[in-house]
Every structure is written in structure tokens, then in C-alpha cells.
Amino acid sequence: QVQLVESGGGLVQAGGSLRLSCAASGRAFSSYAIGWFRQAPGKEREFVAAISWSGGDDYADSVKGRFTISRDNAKNTVYLQINKLKPEDTAVYYCRPGGRGSSWYWYDSWGQGTQVTVSS
């Protein structure tokens, strides 16, 4: 199964931007859907965005218009471009492998995450 490592987080001011990366090792990366999730302090982990093996994407309502997910299969990497950051975007961001049938499904595999902190 594919292993994923997240990077690119940091401390930014509200209104700023970040690009998170999810780098994969293992076989058949291009055949997986990849999802981004986040967990804020004291809250449950939540879905943020996903991209299928063919490039179809999906977003949580709270991030539509500000977040863009993309993938570069040649580099075994999925990106999450985050614009117009808000303090409520502060969280640890994780990526996860999965697939897409009639709905998204996810494998029980998590990286270490990358911290995004947005100051007001």
C-alpha cells in the first residue's frame, strides 16, 4: 500500500497562502484517490478535499473557492493550495489514500500530518 508524507505547513497571517504537499512512496500511486483532512484542537478530524486518480475533485463547503487540490503523478505528489487563510483553518492537515466509487472511500493509513497555524 502507498505511504504518504505531508509537508508545507507553517505559521501565516490571515489572508495569506500556503501550499501543502503529500508525497507518496509505494506502488501504484496514480491509481489512488487522495484526500486531505484536518484536525483542529479539540475537534474531530474532518474532510477538506479529495482528488481521484483521474483528477476529479471535491471540497468541503467551508473551503470551496479558497482551496485547490491537484496531483502530479510523475512526482507521486498531491498538493493542496490554500489561499485567503482564516484563523479557523488552523489545524494539523493530513492526507490519506482511497478511491472513488459511488462515493469516496478511505484506507486506514495516515501520515504524521503538517501543522498550519493562521494568526489574526
Side-chain angles (χ1 to χ4, degrees):
Q1 190 172 342
V2 65
Q3 290 81 43
L4 304 176
V5 177
E6 305 91 339
S7 63
L11 173 62
V12 295
Q13 290 188 332
S17 298
L18 281 173
R19 189 176 78 160
L20 308 184
S21 297
C22 172
S25 60
R27 299 172 61 184
F29 166 77
S30 61
S31 67
Y32 288 92
I34 301 294
W36 280 98
F37 296 76
R38 67 185 180 186
Q39 188 166 20
K43 296 187 177 182
E44 293 187 353
R45 199 167 295 187
E46 64 176 358
F47 170 80
V48 173
I51 188 165
S52 69
W53 67 271
S54 60
D57 57 13
D58 195 11
Y59 299 91
D61 288 342
S62 59
V63 307
K64 282 181 181 177
R66 299 190 299 120
F67 288 24
T68 303
I69 191 170
S70 61
R71 67 189 300 158
D72 185 339
N73 288 335
K75 295 183 178 180
N76 277 12
T77 302
V78 168
Y79 303 99
L80 187 68
Q81 178 69 40
I82 309 176
N83 298 325
K84 300 179 182 178
L85 276 157
K86 303 177 181 180
E88 52 263 44
D89 294 321
T90 294
V92 179
Y93 284 71
Y94 302 88
C95 58
R96 189 179 189 185
R100 189 177 192 181
S102 56
S103 61
W104 298 101
Y105 57 90
W106 306 108
Y107 298 116
D108 189 18
S109 176
W110 297 96
Q112 84 289 349
T114 187
Q115 176 71 50
V116 172
T117 303
V118 184
S119 62
S120 58

